[in-house]
Each structure stands twice: as structure tokens, then as C-alpha cells.
Amino acid sequence: MHPSRSRCTTALFGSLFSPQEDQPIYMAVKGVVFDVTSGKEFYGRGAPYNALAGKDSTRGVAKMSLDPADLTHDTTGLTAEELKALDDVFTKVYKAKYPIVGYTARRILNEDGSPNLDFKPEDQPHFDIKDEL
């Protein structure tokens, strides 16, 4: 099983991103962790979108922002236009171009840390049960 197929905590997620050339580059959008290594010219060390890597950058993607305050999972206060942009980029860029390697803890756990019983891997984007066996 891929190391991030399990719950991806902030500490684990941060450790999976490495500026070293031979390490994968991960980022999350909407709680879905993508391997963006094939786009290292965009997300690698010194690249224009490197600030998005190694974290859930949902708000930054929605706002098309690299401001450190926007590099978070929090979508509170986003406009309808920003939420639509987020959905478009999530579907047309990330889901279309990059493999999903896991989900953040926020996506699969409730705020109290208990399992989110509504989370079903088979309902998640790009889930393929044979990858889990």
C-alpha cells in the first residue's frame, strides 16, 4: 500500500513533501492528496507554485493565491465565483492530470478524531479498489 493511502495527518503530509530532487511532491486540494511530481516545473523547489506543495492548499487554489494566509484547507468566506473556480480547477487540472495518493485526515475523520462514517473510498475521485488490495 502506498504510504499515504492511510490517513494523512499534517505531520505525515509535511514529511511526504521534500525539496530533494528524488522525492515525490504532494499537495492536497479539497482533502484529496495528489502526487504532482510530474509537474515539478510548477511545484518543485524554486518553481512558481511551490508554495502550494506539501499542504492542503484548497483556499489558495480557489482564490488563485499564493499568499501564505490562503494556503489552507479552509473555504470559509469564499465567494460563489471562487468556489466554482475551485471545482473547475479540481476537476480539470488536478483530477485530470495527477494521481491521487490519499486523503487528508480532515476528509476521513470528524473534528473529534472519530471516523467519518459517511466517508466511502469508493465514492472518492479516482478510487480504484484493485489499488487497495
Side-chain angles (χ1 to χ4, degrees):
M1 179 183 296
H2 196 281
S4 63
R5 286 269 185 207
S6 60
R7 178 170 52 119
C8 195
T9 63
T10 302
L12 175 62
F13 189 48
S15 74
L16 294 173
F17 171 73
S18 172
Q20 298 175 9
E21 291 296 318
D22 62 341
Q23 297 294 314
I25 303 169
Y26 296 149
M27 70 172 286
V29 179
K30 295 173 69 171
V32 179
V33 181
F34 295 94
D35 181 340
V36 295
T37 307
S38 66
K40 66 182 170 186
E41 68 275 14
F42 301 109
Y43 303 101
R45 177 187 251 172
Y49 301 116
N50 176 257
L52 300 173
K55 60 185 71 70
D56 188 329
S57 297
T58 299
R59 185 179 196 82
V61 170
K63 295 181 75 166
M64 304 295 178
S65 170
L66 297 175
D67 183 322
D70 289 329
L71 302 180
T72 178
H73 70 281
D74 188 9
T75 58
T76 304
L78 291 178
T79 66
E81 184 177 299
E82 290 167 333
L83 290 170
K84 181 175 181 343
L86 172 63
D87 286 340
D88 287 348
V89 172
F90 179 77
T91 302
K92 295 175 183 172
V93 176
Y94 293 103
K95 281 177 51 181
K97 290 177 70 172
Y98 301 110
I100 293 172
V101 295
Y103 304 98
T104 63
R106 277 191 176 80
R107 191 167 181 104
I108 64 174
L109 298 176
N110 294 316
E111 287 187 33
D112 65 1
S114 64
N116 176 355
L117 300 178
D118 293 328
F119 179 85
K120 294 182 177 74
E122 62 271 18
D123 293 339
Q124 303 306 308
H126 292 311
F127 178 81
D128 187 347
I129 196 157
K130 72 179 184 234
D131 290 341
E132 297 294 312
L133 300 176

